[in-house]
């Protein structure tokens, strides 16, 4: 009892002191540069759970004691710790976390702070990549970058992706960007049997993708940068304890759209109404939707595992991945195994740094027979799939009563095409590079860099067609073709980098280097039918090209306000003759960080930069080797020369052009980068003009002056002009909830400004040798060239009636006119991300305005005579109900009725995720569901409004895909 009383007395004695020690502090938290209040700032007494948050006006009240450490923190700002010393009022200013401006952006042969960029450069980090069933890196940035259009070739698993940056830059050469992976420019081509040359990179291994858009940024890569550059940086090892990551997902892909052809009931009614007795007698009694027969639900899975940390003093990251994905076209499959290893050791007190990268891929492809897509549109819907009496393995087929075989002009049973053709390949690829940076001990401002790399890929494929497949060939006994291809890309780069700060005002960096890159290719093939016919059945081809380069760049910054960049690259390509082999590609760019000026010190701007730049780049990418030398080409298999009873392949010289030189692109760019209101609003605006001089394209030549009537020559000029706008917006940002938006829009106008000879391109199905596109001065490349259809008072096209545009009373080639082009005038991307506590939600959308499509499916399959010609029945496109066209003609095929507006709005992806922290042993789980290809809003009545090149014919439909996945970090 005495002890208790003493304790109570002691407590009463000290109680006033305790009460006096506990005080109330009030204050306001505001942003350092703008002085605007910041609501929702967390204020915690360090080491306790005591705390509060600022109200809407940035005010707070908190009970504290002398000596307490108050921690002020808010997302996007640098946290501050303040020791309380008895103040009744404590106002705090928080500075924006400058990590975004200090973020290092990889550029050609080096890197700079984001704030110091002078060119048109956009970076997309892993946190901003598109989610869902992503099999190739290009898909990660679709819709994310203004002026960058990403279009898949179709819906097959791992299908190639076409990227166009700021419009078409060439007519006959490659029009896709250069990809540089960890400093290694890879070969954009691929060996046979590969669906996409970038499939060797597991998207889960990519840390960031930087898009260099204007020539002032790309000129350091010279001749390979004519169509822009995409720098891919993969995830690296870190000097830390080991961390592991496991990503796993399962997908279901479903076909959701079909070509509009007649149903069995519609087709039967049409034949009964318009056909002869012989035609009607050919009708069957089945109801077969052939598109339902060839498409199915497709299942897939994707798994990857990675580990990063420090092993024996060396930062390391290793990963392995496996993907198995079916296509919605039956028998289509992609199976891919990838592996990567990165080592980043530092030696000699960090003076010597190594970056070692190696990644490999093994892919097994089973290619479904895409001929079945067209056959499913054409085949009579009243016929069955199978016929037990059929001589063709039980598959129904039309039979010619005179020969007992399939008529040569009859479509082949689509299921037979899928089941009786086995087309497979295996592709192996190994890409590795070693980058060594040595910061000289005796001159620490100078760093010597050597980067060596090799890209080795080989493939083996074969296609076996069964002897049971329906055919008109009476001697048919099956066929087998095969190929083996190997490509080797070797790189050696060596350069010096000098970096120096003078008096903390002048910053100077210079790069001077040398590069050698060689590309070798070998191809062997075999054809069993040629062997049976006594023709050459084995083929061997090999080629090699070399690119030799010198390059230099200077960066200068004055007081971090005024920036200047200049570069020069000299390239020599073995593709060109010795006298025109060297090309010189300069660039210069300047920038002004206006927000650092004194008159904007107290403004709401966190960034305001004005940029201007000019640069030149070259292009011979895609040009065949040795065009300036006499070459000999073998005749086709059907053009052998007979000696006795044997046929021999002949060889003829190919046309040559000894004067072929560089195609040169010149870009002028003005841009503004902006950020204000604590970077809640940021983005950029760019205005550019991109001119291409000395376009390489086909040119007609005088007879008997060469070994042919056409050669590739420098004959034209082209211009792209455009505006790009990018906006990043954070409407809400608190500790529990954040909502961000990214919107970008680009306008591009593409025009051929000089071309002496009109060119006819864009081959189509129907007739013989018909084309629907043209290159001509004053118009966009690949513009549609068609007849102007005449319509009646009800808006129905009048068959065979076209506008006589030159009023000569004759409808001929002179009456064709330009009717739009396939490339959008305006492209837009809008993505939004929301996170609330453990939940995250993302939506990615895109829109194209002004892109047009030629509907080749409707044009070739929409006339009545086609239904009953050749003694068989062939299904029709429902466009017949709109036109009523009776006969197929070449002029009808080229009617502008088939040129259709394909503008669209797409919801590409919706993803919902939930993160479970510290589930066990500090492991973090993120569960997510995703839907890809959610919605397409368009007036185009074909299969899909997004067809690269603008000609819709036998397009592999893009499926709708559902994904369930989990990411585990531990």
């Amino acid at each position: 009892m005495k002890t208790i009383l003493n304790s109570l007395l002691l407590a009463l004695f000290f109680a006033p002191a305790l009460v006096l020690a506990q005080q109330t502090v009030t204050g306001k938290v505001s942003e350092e540069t703008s002085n605007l209040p910041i609501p929702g700032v967390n204020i915690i007494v360090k080491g306790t759970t005591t705390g509060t948050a600022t109200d809407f006006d940035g005010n707070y009240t908190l009970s504290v004691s002398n000596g307490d450490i108050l921690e002020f923190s808010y997302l996007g700002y640098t946290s501050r710790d303040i020791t309380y010393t008895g103040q009744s009022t404590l106002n705090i200013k928080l500075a924006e976390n400058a990590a975004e401006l200090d973020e290092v952006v990889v550029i050609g042969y080096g890197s700079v702070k984001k704030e110091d960029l002078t060119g048109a450069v956009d970076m997309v980090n892993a946190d901003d990549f598109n989610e869902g069933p992503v099999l190739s890196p290009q898909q990660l940035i679709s819709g994310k970058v203004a002026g960058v259009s990403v279009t898949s070739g179709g819906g097959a698993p791992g299908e190639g992706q076409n990227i166009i940056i700021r419009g078409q830059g060439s007519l006959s050469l490659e029009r896709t960007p250069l990809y540089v992976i960890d400093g290694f420019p890879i070969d954009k081509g691929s060996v046979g049997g590969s669906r996409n040359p970038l499939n060797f990179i597991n998207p889960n291994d990519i840390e960031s993708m930087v898009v260099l858009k204007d020539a002032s940024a790309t000129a350091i890569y010279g001749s390979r940068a004519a169509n822009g550059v995409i720098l891919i940086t993969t995830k690296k090892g870190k000097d830390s304890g080991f961390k592991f990551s496991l990503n796993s997902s399962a997908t279901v892909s479903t076909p959701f759209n079909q070509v509009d052809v007649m149903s069995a009931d519609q087709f039967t009614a049409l034949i009964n109404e318009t056909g002869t007795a012989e035609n009607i007698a050919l009708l069957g009694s089945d109801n077969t939707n052939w598109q339902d027969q060839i498409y199915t639900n497709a299942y897939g899975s994707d798994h990857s595992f990675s580990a990063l940390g420090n092993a024996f003093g060396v930062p390391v990251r290793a990963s392995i991945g496996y993907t198995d994905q079916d296509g919605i076209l039956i028998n289509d499959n992609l199976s891919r195994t990838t592996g990567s290893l990165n080592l980043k050791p530092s030696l000699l007190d960090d003076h010597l740094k190594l970056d070692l990268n190696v990644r490999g891929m093994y892919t097994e492809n089973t290619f479904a027979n895409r001929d079945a897509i067209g056959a499913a549109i054409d085949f009579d819907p009243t016929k069955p799939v199978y016929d037990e009496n059929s001589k063709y393995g039980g598959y129904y087929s039309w039979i010619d009563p005179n020969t007992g075989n399939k008529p040569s002009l009859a479509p082949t049973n689509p299921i037979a095409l899928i089941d009786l053709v086995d087309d497979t390949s295996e592709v192996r690829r190994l890409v590795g590079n070693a980058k060594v940076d040595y910061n000289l001990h005796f001159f620490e401002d100078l760093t010597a860099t050597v980067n060596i790399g090799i890209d080795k890929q080989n493939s083996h494929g074969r296609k076996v067609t069964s002897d049971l497949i329906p055919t008109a060939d009476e001697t048919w006994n099956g066929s087998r073709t095969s190929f083996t291809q190997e490509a080797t890309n070797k790189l050696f780069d060596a350069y010096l980098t000098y970096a120096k700060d003078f008096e903390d005002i002048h910053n100077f960096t210079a790069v001077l280097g040398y590069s050698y890159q060689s590309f070798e290719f070998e191809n062997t093939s075999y054809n069993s039918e040629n062997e049976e016919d006594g023709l050459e059945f084995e083929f061997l081809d090999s080629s090699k090209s070399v690119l030799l380069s010198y390059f230099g760049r200077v960066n200068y910054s004055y007081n971090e306000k005024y920036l200047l960049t200049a570069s020069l690259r000299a390239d020599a390509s073995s593709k060109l003759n010795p006298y025109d082999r060297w090309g010189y590609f300069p660039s210069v760019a300047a920038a002004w960080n206006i927000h650092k000026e004194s008159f904007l010190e107290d403004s709401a701007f966190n960034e305001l930069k004005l940029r201007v730049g000019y640069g030149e780049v070259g292009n011979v990418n895609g040009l065949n080797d040795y065009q300036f030398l006499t070459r000999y080409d073998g005749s086709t298999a059907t053009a052998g020369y007979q000696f006795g009873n044997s046929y021999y392949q002949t060889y003829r010289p190919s046309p040559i052009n000894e004067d072929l030189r560089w195609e040169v692109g010149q870009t002028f760019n003005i841009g503004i980068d902006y950020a204000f209101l604590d970077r809640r609003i940021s983005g950029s605006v760019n205005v550019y003009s991109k001119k291409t001089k000395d376009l390489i394209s086909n040119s007609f030549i005088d007879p008997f002056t060469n070994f042919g009537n056409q050669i590739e020559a420098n004959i034209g000029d082209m211009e792209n002009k455009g505006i790009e706008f990018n906006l990043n917006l954070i409407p809400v940002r608190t500790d529990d909830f954040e909502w961000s938006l990214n919107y970008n829009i680009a306008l591009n106008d593409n025009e051929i400004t000089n071309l002496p000879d009109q060119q006819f391109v864009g081959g189509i199905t129907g007739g013989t040798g018909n084309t629907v596109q043209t290159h001509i001065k004053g118009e966009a490349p690949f513009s549609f060239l068609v007849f102007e259809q005449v319509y009646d008072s009800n808006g129905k096209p009048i068959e065979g009636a076209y506008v006589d545009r030159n009023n000569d009373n004759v409808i001929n080639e002179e009456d064709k006119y330009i009717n739009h082009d396939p490339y959008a005038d305006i492209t837009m991307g809008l993505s939004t991300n929301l996170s609330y506590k453990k939940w995250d939600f993302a939506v990615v959308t895109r829109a194209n305005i002004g892109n047009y499509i030629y509907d080749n499916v409707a044009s070739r399959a929409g006339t009545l005579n086609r239904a009953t010609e050749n003694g068989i029945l062939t299904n029709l496109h429902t466009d017949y109900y709109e036109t009523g066209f009776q006969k197929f003609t070449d002029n009808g095929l080229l009617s502008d009725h088939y040129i259709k507006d394909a503008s669209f709005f797409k919801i590409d992806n919706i993803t919902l995720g939930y993160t479970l922290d510290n589930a066990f042993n500090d492991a973090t789980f993120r569960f997510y569901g995703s839907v890809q290809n959610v919605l397409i809003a368009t007036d185009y009545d074909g299969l899909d409004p997004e067809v690269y090149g603008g000609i819709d014919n036998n397009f592999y439909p893009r499926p709708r895909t559902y994904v369930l996945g989990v990411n585990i970090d531990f």
Side-chain angles (χ1 to χ4, degrees):
M1 177 64 70
K2 185 177 179 181
T3 303
I4 296 173
L5 289 173
N6 288 337
S7 299
L8 288 172
L9 289 171
L10 188 65
L12 290 171
F13 180 80
F14 281 106
L18 293 172
V19 171
L20 289 172
Q22 192 77 25
Q23 301 180 41
T24 298
V25 62
T26 61
K28 184 174 184 177
V29 181
S30 56
E31 201 275 327
E32 186 175 67
T33 57
S34 67
N35 290 319
L36 294 172
I38 308 177
V41 176
N42 281 324
I43 308 163
I44 300 292
V45 178
K46 212 161 188 178
T48 74
T49 58
T50 303
T52 186
T54 58
D55 61 18
F56 183 79
D57 295 316
N59 298 317
Y60 72 94
T61 301
L62 183 65
S63 295
V64 294
S65 301
N66 274 337
D68 284 347
I69 298 175
L70 305 184
E71 181 182 37
F72 295 78
S73 62
Y74 188 67
L75 186 66
Y77 292 81
T78 301
S79 298
R80 289 189 64 183
D81 290 348
I82 303 293
T83 301
Y84 180 69
T85 58
Q87 308 97 313
S88 60
T89 301
L90 183 59
N91 296 325
I92 296 296
K93 293 183 183 295
L94 293 184
E96 177 195 0
N97 189 336
E100 184 171 352
L101 286 177
D102 291 337
E103 187 174 20
V104 173
V105 179
V106 176
I107 58 175
Y109 306 101
S111 59
V112 298
K113 290 193 303 182
K114 185 177 180 181
E115 189 178 40
D116 294 338
L117 287 169
T118 56
V121 177
D122 287 291
M123 182 169 70
V124 183
N125 289 311
D127 292 340
D128 300 316
F129 286 157
N130 293 324
E131 297 194 67
V134 176
L135 297 182
S136 63
Q138 300 101 317
Q139 295 173 273
L140 295 172
I141 61 172
S142 177
K144 294 288 187 178
V145 182
V148 177
S149 174
V150 183
T151 306
S152 68
E159 187 79 352
Q161 307 286 319
N162 299 287
I163 292 187
I164 299 296
I165 299 177
R166 293 184 166 182
Q168 302 290 326
S170 185
L171 295 181
S172 62
L173 301 184
E174 286 184 2
R175 299 187 293 276
T176 56
L178 169 70
Y179 298 100
V180 181
I181 302 171
D182 294 326
F184 186 5
I186 69 164
D187 188 357
K188 288 181 285 187
S190 61
V191 293
S194 177
R195 298 176 188 259
N196 184 337
L198 286 189
N199 276 348
F200 75 95
I201 310 174
N202 190 322
N204 291 310
D205 290 337
I206 297 178
E207 181 67 35
S208 68
M209 297 177 71
V210 175
V211 183
L212 310 181
K213 295 192 290 189
D214 71 338
S216 70
T218 64
I220 192 69
Y221 284 107
S223 65
R224 290 169 296 179
N227 303 297
V229 180
I230 296 180
L231 306 177
I232 298 175
T233 301
T234 60
K235 296 174 181 177
K236 307 296 183 184
K238 295 183 178 180
D239 192 6
S240 62
F242 266 94
K243 297 182 180 180
F244 305 93
S245 181
L246 175 65
N247 302 318
S248 187
S249 64
T251 64
V252 179
S253 300
T254 62
F256 71 98
N257 197 10
Q258 294 184 356
V259 175
D260 291 328
V261 294
M262 293 183 180
S263 67
D265 290 341
Q266 290 174 318
F267 188 69
T268 298
L270 178 72
I271 299 302
N272 282 328
E273 178 184 350
T274 63
T276 64
E278 290 79 5
N279 300 147
I280 295 172
L282 294 175
L283 284 167
S285 58
D286 287 84
N287 185 349
T288 305
N289 183 323
W290 290 99
Q291 293 179 83
D292 281 348
Q293 295 294 320
I294 64 172
Y295 298 122
T296 185
N297 290 337
Y299 302 92
S301 62
D302 184 78
H303 315 280
S304 66
F305 176 79
S306 66
L308 68 84
N310 189 302
F312 307 105
V314 177
V316 59
R317 183 183 186 274
S319 72
I320 188 169
Y322 176 73
T323 302
D324 185 82
Q325 181 64 58
D326 290 332
I328 59 170
L329 185 60
I330 292 174
N331 286 351
D332 210 9
N333 177 266
L334 166 72
S335 174
R336 179 184 67 182
T337 302
T338 61
S340 71
L341 176 66
N342 168 256
L343 302 173
K344 288 182 67 69
S346 288
L347 306 170
L348 305 178
D349 296 328
D350 287 341
H351 279 260
L352 183 64
K353 297 181 179 181
L354 289 81
D355 189 358
L356 309 175
N357 300 280
V358 62
R359 60 190 68 255
M361 177 203 71
Y362 174 69
T363 302
E364 293 181 338
N365 293 290
T366 300
F367 298 99
N369 190 345
R370 298 193 185 187
D371 291 341
I373 296 175
I377 295 170
D378 294 341
F379 216 89
D380 179 359
T382 69
K383 297 298 187 292
V385 177
Y386 303 103
D387 177 5
E388 62 182 12
N389 298 316
S390 171
K391 62 183 286 187
Y392 298 116
Y395 297 93
Y396 176 83
S397 176
W398 289 102
I399 296 296
D400 186 331
N402 297 318
T403 65
N405 299 315
K406 184 185 85 71
S408 59
L409 297 178
T412 303
N413 186 314
I415 299 301
L417 286 171
I418 286 177
D419 291 347
L420 300 180
V421 178
D422 185 21
D423 189 356
T424 59
S425 74
E426 301 85 43
V427 182
R428 302 162 188 84
R429 190 167 189 177
L430 180 70
V431 179
N433 71 302
K435 182 171 174 282
V436 181
D437 295 304
Y438 175 48
N439 186 209
L440 276 63
H441 282 78
F442 54 88
F443 191 9
E444 295 194 358
D445 296 329
L446 190 65
T447 301
T449 301
V450 173
N451 184 22
I452 58 174
I454 187 169
D455 177 2
K456 188 87 170 180
Q457 51 182 321
N458 66 71
S459 65
H460 182 208
R462 78 290 305 155
K463 182 176 182 180
V464 179
T465 304
S466 170
D467 58 348
L468 296 176
I469 200 164
T471 176
D473 187 351
E474 297 182 5
T475 64
W476 178 259
N477 60 353
S479 70
R480 183 180 188 274
T481 60
S482 64
F483 67 86
T484 301
Q485 295 183 357
E486 184 171 301
T488 305
N489 169 12
K490 299 176 183 177
L491 172 74
F492 176 80
D493 284 343
Y495 52 96
L496 297 172
T497 303
Y498 173 76
K500 182 69 174 178
D501 283 327
F502 299 94
E503 301 177 354
D504 295 326
I505 296 177
H506 307 278
N507 179 274
F508 180 82
T509 303
V511 177
L512 182 65
Y514 163 85
S515 179
Y516 173 91
Q517 194 162 11
S518 67
F519 306 89
E520 301 176 41
F521 181 78
E522 291 188 0
N523 171 42
T524 60
S525 60
Y526 166 80
N527 187 312
S528 66
E529 291 187 87
N530 283 1
E531 184 177 21
E532 287 184 4
D533 295 338
L535 300 173
E536 184 172 352
F537 57 90
E538 291 183 319
F539 178 75
L540 172 64
D541 180 35
S542 62
S543 65
K544 179 179 180 178
S545 65
V546 171
L547 187 68
L548 178 66
S549 309
Y550 297 95
F551 57 88
R553 180 181 58 228
V554 174
N555 294 82
Y556 171 72
S557 168
Y558 176 74
N559 206 24
E560 297 185 340
K561 296 180 182 179
Y562 312 108
L563 312 169
L564 180 68
T565 301
S567 71
L568 175 66
R569 182 164 181 130
D571 279 337
S573 173
S574 64
K575 292 177 179 288
L576 300 176
N577 72 81
Y579 304 103
D580 294 304
R581 184 160 290 169
W582 283 96
Y584 300 92
F585 309 109
S587 76
V588 62
W592 177 22
N593 277 319
I594 306 173
H595 66 282
K596 290 183 176 291
E597 297 291 351
S598 58
F599 60 83
L600 284 180
E601 281 184 356
D602 297 325
S603 74
F605 281 100
N606 307 103
E607 180 183 10
L608 184 62
K609 182 199 295 181
L610 175 65
R611 295 177 282 101
V612 60
Y614 170 83
E616 297 183 2
V617 289
N619 195 6
V620 289
N621 302 311
L623 186 67
N624 291 329
D625 295 330
Y626 322 125
Q627 296 253 23
F628 60 94
L629 297 175
T630 301
R631 307 167 318 283
Y632 291 87
D633 295 329
S635 62
T636 62
T638 57
Y641 195 85
Q642 184 177 7
F643 281 99
N645 295 324
S646 298
Y647 290 86
Y648 297 90
Q649 187 175 27
T650 61
Y651 289 84
R652 65 185 182 277
S654 297
I656 65 173
N657 184 358
E658 297 179 346
D659 299 319
L660 204 60
R661 59 189 182 275
W662 291 96
E663 183 177 284
V664 178
Q666 304 168 329
T667 299
F668 178 75
N669 190 98
I670 298 177
I672 296 175
D673 301 324
Y674 62 90
F676 53 95
L677 297 179
D678 308 325
R679 303 197 71 83
R680 301 284 284 269
I681 302 174
S682 63
S684 63
V685 180
N686 286 282
V687 179
Y688 64 87
S689 171
K690 183 172 72 172
K691 297 180 179 180
T692 306
K693 303 291 186 180
D694 293 332
L695 278 168
I696 295 177
S697 192
N698 287 324
S699 176
F700 290 98
I701 54 179
D702 294 333
F704 308 112
T705 61
N706 211 312
F707 298 112
N709 63 352
Q710 292 186 60
I711 59 171
E712 295 244 86
N714 302 90
I715 59 171
D717 304 318
M718 184 162 57
E719 182 176 15
N720 282 274
K721 295 182 291 186
I723 302 173
E724 299 166 348
F725 174 76
N726 182 69
L727 172 66
N728 302 301
L729 179 65
I730 305 176
V732 180
R733 183 169 61 188
T734 68
D735 280 347
D736 289 336
F737 179 65
E738 179 168 338
W739 175 27
S740 63
L741 291 164
N742 170 265
Y743 173 72
N744 62 78
I745 181 171
L747 294 79
N748 184 77
D749 180 60
N750 195 185
E751 180 184 344
I752 298 172
T753 55
N754 177 37
L755 195 67
D757 300 319
Q758 182 176 6
Q759 299 178 9
F760 302 96
V761 294
I764 56 177
T765 302
T768 302
N770 283 309
T771 61
V772 74
Q773 291 174 321
T774 189
H775 300 322
I776 189 172
K777 180 180 177 181
E779 301 291 346
F782 300 97
S783 291
F784 296 111
L785 183 66
V786 288
F787 292 104
E788 184 178 357
Q789 182 70 53
V790 175
Y791 294 82
D792 64 20
S793 58
N794 296 317
K796 187 172 184 177
I798 301 173
E799 185 169 6
Y802 310 103
V803 174
D804 182 10
R805 298 180 66 88
N806 63 355
N807 297 313
D808 64 353
N809 297 318
V810 178
I811 300 298
N812 55 24
E813 294 293 312
E814 302 300 320
D815 294 302
K816 290 182 181 179
Y817 78 108
I818 299 296
N819 184 308
H820 302 292
D821 66 88
Y823 300 103
D825 301 316
I826 302 173
T827 58
M828 289 184 281
L830 173 64
S831 58
T832 183
N833 294 75
L834 297 95
S835 61
Y836 176 70
K837 293 185 177 180
K838 305 298 183 181
W839 292 93
D840 60 87
F841 180 73
V843 181
V844 178
T845 68
R846 287 183 301 120
N848 279 15
I849 299 175
N851 55 303
Y852 284 76
I853 280 179
Y854 171 75
D855 190 349
N856 199 187
V857 182
S859 66
R860 72 171 182 81
T863 55
L864 181 62
N865 69 321
R866 184 175 183 273
T868 56
E869 65 184 354
N870 303 316
I872 60 171
L873 299 181
T874 304
N875 203 4
L876 297 186
H877 193 281
T878 55
D879 185 70
Y880 167 76
Y881 293 128
E882 182 177 344
T883 66
F885 288 170
Q886 301 292 303
K887 295 181 179 180
F888 175 90
T889 64
D890 283 344
N891 283 1
L893 189 70
L894 300 177
S895 166
D896 66 1
H897 168 76
Y898 301 110
I899 306 297
K900 300 177 180 180
D901 186 352
S903 301
F904 64 82
F905 168 77
K906 285 190 175 186
I907 301 179
D908 277 343
N909 186 274
I910 296 178
T911 300
L912 176 65
Y914 179 78
T915 300
L916 185 62
D917 291 323
N918 302 320
F920 62 87
N921 293 333
D922 296 327
T924 298
F925 288 72
R926 177 176 177 266
F927 303 92
Y928 68 92
S930 180
V931 184
Q932 190 177 54
N933 204 7
V934 181
L935 171 72
I936 305 174
T938 181
D939 288 335
Y940 180 59
D941 55 6
L943 190 63
D944 194 305
E946 195 172 16
V947 177
Y948 184 75
I951 297 176
D952 185 359
N953 186 27
N954 286 2
F955 184 74
Y956 192 131
R958 297 184 181 96
R960 179 169 293 138
T961 302
Y962 303 88
V963 186
L964 288 177
V966 60
N967 304 329
I968 307 174
D969 296 316
F970 57 98

